[in-house]
Amino acid sequence: PFLLSWYQGSAISWPRDEFRSGKWSATPSAERYRLYKDLTDKTKLAGATKTEVEALLGKPDSTAPDGRYMTYLLKEAQGESYTSNFVYVLRLDVSPDGTIVDYRVVAD
């Protein structure tokens, strides 16, 4: 059962909806996971500038105090969900010159 609940809650099993910047902005932040796969397939996030990412996705939900990373909320588990991870975010690592050097989904 644990393995099944992990799989259902992980990014591996997320549905895929078409990404568009306006659709991302209009989607509640905890529902953006549906757009994640299309976003990362269509958009080269690594190598983009922080300014370019913010133009595409809007203001991040959080930013590190030292500016080393920024995050966008993708998914929050519902009360009835069986998963050990309750929040999923898209974390973008930012270099000192403002370029995205890496990105990944992290769960907490």
Side-chain angles (χ1 to χ4, degrees):
F2 173 74
L3 184 58
L4 180 59
S5 65
W6 169 83
Y7 181 77
Q8 290 173 343
S10 75
I12 296 169
S13 66
W14 288 351
R16 180 190 189 109
D17 286 349
E18 180 185 9
F19 171 82
R20 291 186 318 276
S21 183
K23 186 174 184 179
W24 176 276
S25 299
T27 300
S29 57
E31 296 287 320
R32 293 178 186 150
Y33 70 96
R34 298 175 177 279
L35 307 172
Y36 171 77
K37 287 180 184 177
D38 202 49
L39 164 68
T40 57
D41 283 350
K42 287 182 174 178
T43 308
K44 186 178 179 202
L45 295 174
T49 65
K50 182 179 175 182
T51 303
E52 291 169 333
V53 170
E54 288 184 8
L56 184 68
L57 302 179
K59 183 179 175 186
D61 294 308
S62 68
T63 304
D66 62 3
R68 291 184 309 154
Y69 65 86
M70 54 195 217
T71 65
Y72 291 88
L73 181 62
L74 294 176
K75 185 175 190 335
E76 288 181 296
Q78 305 299 322
E80 67 277 358
S81 296
Y82 296 98
T83 178
S84 61
N85 299 311
F86 295 100
V87 177
Y88 292 86
V89 297
L90 170 60
R91 176 184 161 139
L92 299 113
D93 296 327
V94 183
S95 70
D97 71 356
T99 302
I100 306 303
V101 293
D102 194 19
Y103 67 91
R104 63 193 163 282
V105 172
V106 294
D108 187 17

